[in-house]
Structures are given as structure tokens and as C-alpha cells.
Amino acid sequence: PEDCAVFQCRGCWAVLGDSLHLCAQEERRLGLLACFKVTKDVAWEDSLMVGLEGALLGCAYNALSCRSCGLIVGFILYSAPRDLAYLRGFFCFFKDSILCYLLKKQKIIEASKVNFPAVTLKE
């Protein structure tokens, strides 16, 4: 496939997931990629956190981190307002916490600079 990419931790380059499991992109508020499957290098906290400010205000979520270096790379939403509810239960990576290795081009690029084909769970 033309647009296949591997998602890597910005801190240590551990492989966290790939674009074959990409199921949503959210650009406006959070700048994230949502996947339905991740690698064993992704760990999540058992305890829920609650957003007290910013884009996750009022949301309950589990933080995602890189198992290799400990960098916080995203979250799994447990509860959210209606406009973010479609992301509940998915592995959401912050674009500014990951890098993308583009398989066809054999090139590493900032996740925020990659445009994947449109996928959305809202419909």
C-alpha cells in the first residue's frame, strides 16, 4: 500500500503502531491519530485521569506511554463530551509525541506533517 507508515516514539523510536490500524484523525483540538491496535511497546495506566483544562477538560482517560522510555504518547478515552465520544476506547497518539516511518519512501517524518487518507469514525 502506498501510504503505509509505522508510528514510532519520538523519545526512543520504539514502534508503537502502524497506519493499517489507523481508524481516525483529529486535527482541530487535539492533533492526534486514533488506532484500534498498538504494539507491546505501548503501556497504559490502570488508574483513570481527569482532564482539568485544555482540550481534554472533563474527560476521563488512561494515559498511554512508551514502555521503552516512559514518554507519554497519548491516551485512551473512557468518557468524553459528545464531540469527542467517537474516540472512546481507541488508542489515541498525540502527533507531537510520535514520528512516522513511511515505508515506501523509507523516510522518517514528523507525524504532524503526514497526511493520511481520510478516515473517520464520526459517520
Side-chain angles (χ1 to χ4, degrees):
E2 186 90 8
D3 300 313
C4 285
V6 173
F7 305 140
Q8 297 177 287
C9 173
R10 178 180 289 282
C12 68
W13 293 26
V15 174
L16 306 175
D18 60 56
S19 61
L20 295 177
H21 297 108
L22 181 66
C23 55
Q25 299 177 74
E26 198 287 327
E27 298 293 334
R28 293 168 297 140
R29 291 173 48 186
L30 299 168
L32 58 83
L33 299 173
C35 297
F36 63 87
K37 188 175 180 183
V38 295
T39 70
K40 294 177 187 172
D41 285 323
V42 178
W44 52 91
E45 298 291 323
D46 288 333
S47 58
L48 285 176
M49 301 179 76
V50 176
L52 300 177
E53 60 186 22
L56 292 177
L57 176 67
C59 295
Y61 60 92
N62 301 91
L64 293 177
S65 61
C66 173
R67 196 176 298 277
S68 297
C69 72
L71 179 70
I72 299 296
V73 294
F75 59 88
I76 303 171
L77 273 182
Y78 181 76
S79 69
R82 187 176 319 162
D83 63 329
L84 293 177
Y86 71 101
L87 295 172
R88 282 190 307 226
F90 292 102
F91 299 94
C92 298
F93 292 123
F94 295 121
K95 282 187 165 187
D96 60 359
S97 297
I98 63 171
L99 300 169
C100 292
Y101 177 75
L102 305 177
L103 297 176
K104 186 169 184 173
K105 294 180 181 178
Q106 297 181 352
K107 183 177 180 181
I108 293 177
I109 191 166
E110 302 274 334
S112 60
K113 295 180 180 170
V114 177
N115 291 319
F116 291 101
V119 288
T120 182
L121 294 171
K122 285 187 174 184
E123 299 167 1

